[in-house]
Structures are given as C-alpha cells and as structure tokens.
Amino acid sequence: MIDHWRTFAAYNAWANRRLYGAVAALPPQDFARDGGAFFRSLRGTLNHLVVTDAIWLDRLRGGFTPPHQLDDVPYPEFAPLEEARAALDAALSAFVAALTPADLDRELSFRRQASPEPIRQRLGSALAHLFNHQTHHRGQAHALLTQFGGPEAGPPLDLLLYLRETGAA
C-alpha cells in the first residue's frame, strides 16, 4: 500500500507541473480572470490547493492549527505560487517516501476551520482525501484553462498517461 501512496505523490507532482506549465502559457491576464469556478479563477483555485495541501501536510506531520483560511490567496502572482507548489509537492513526496505501512493506520487529531470539535482520522484515509481533493480542483483549473485558451490549452492529466510515461504501468 505504501507504493500506492508514493505513486500518487509522484503523479500529483507530475500533474501539477503539467498544469502549471499550461497556466504559464496563457496570457497573464487570464491567471486572475473570473471563469465562474468555485474559487473563481486559476489564481483562486491554485492558491486554494496550495493552502489546503499546506494544511493537510501540517496535519499529517502532527500539527493541529491551520495556517490559512481555505480561500486565502497568499500568492497573488503566478511565479511565487508556482515555486510554492513545487516546494509543497517535494515536501509531500518526501513525507510519503518516509512512511511505513504502520504509519497508514496512525490516527491524526486536528480541528477543522468550520467547527471547533476535534477530528480523528487515519493517516491513510487523510492521504486519500488529499490526493482526491487535488484531482478535483485540478479538474476545475483544467476547465478554466480550456475555457480561456481552447481545448488545446489543457494538458492531459490522466493517471494512466502518467503511469505509461514513467513506466510505472
């Protein structure tokens, strides 16, 4: 099962690199353009993913207090956001690489921003949520890319493509 999560961490970083490369190819004004997504724009959506991944990584490491609100935009400019994303993907990959099978059953304890009661969750199910959440919002960002730049603006992000390209299939 550990190999499963290591594959997802590597896939996550690969998909983010592809997505960010496509965003960089758009005209700069499209980065903050409101496209009607849940977090409105590519800037809002990609910042949300950085914020939530930072929160989850802190929780996975045993932290308890979220550093940001879910709709914060700590990186209003693309270049620093891209750097933060790459650093976060590297940190997440390193965290997952160090896990043992027993770690997946470790219980996390944290508080959600929306409610004060403590939450307890297994680390393995938290990883499932983190990677699924990434895929969900990457899909929204992909829709914005194709809305702004046409069908060719959105790169393929399929897990099967990643597995074939890396020889992990």
Side-chain angles (χ1 to χ4, degrees), residues 11-158:
Y11 163 71
N12 188 63
W14 172 89
N16 284 332
R17 283 190 306 274
R18 290 176 68 91
L19 182 68
Y20 274 70
V23 172
L26 287 175
Q29 66 271 19
D30 285 343
F31 177 61
R33 183 175 163 192
D34 187 339
F38 190 83
F39 290 96
R40 312 304 309 162
S41 63
L42 286 162
R43 178 176 62 193
T45 301
L46 297 178
N47 268 278
H48 170 71
L49 282 173
V50 165
V51 165
T52 56
D53 278 8
I55 290 170
W56 275 106
L57 188 56
D58 184 57
R59 289 173 179 168
L60 293 169
R61 290 174 171 162
F64 201 73
T65 306
H68 294 286
Q69 297 298 313
L70 299 179
D71 60 353
D72 282 355
V73 179
Y75 304 100
E77 301 299 323
F78 179 72
L81 176 64
E82 185 175 31
E83 290 174 20
R85 175 77 265 162
L88 197 49
D89 286 342
L92 183 57
S93 291
F95 176 83
V96 171
L99 290 175
T100 67
D103 289 328
L104 296 175
D105 287 326
R106 182 167 43 95
E107 188 174 84
L108 306 176
S109 179
F110 57 92
R111 294 182 194 280
R112 292 180 45 232
Q113 293 179 328
S115 60
E117 71 274 357
I119 305 289
R120 298 195 185 290
Q121 182 174 8
R122 284 182 42 256
L123 189 145
S125 66
L127 284 174
H129 169 74
L130 184 153
F131 292 126
N132 186 63
H133 182 257
Q134 271 279 338
T135 300
H136 167 68
H137 286 296
R138 262 197 311 267
Q140 291 176 338
H142 193 278
L144 290 171
L145 275 167
T146 58
Q147 177 183 338
F148 300 156
E152 66 284 349
L157 300 175
D158 294 343

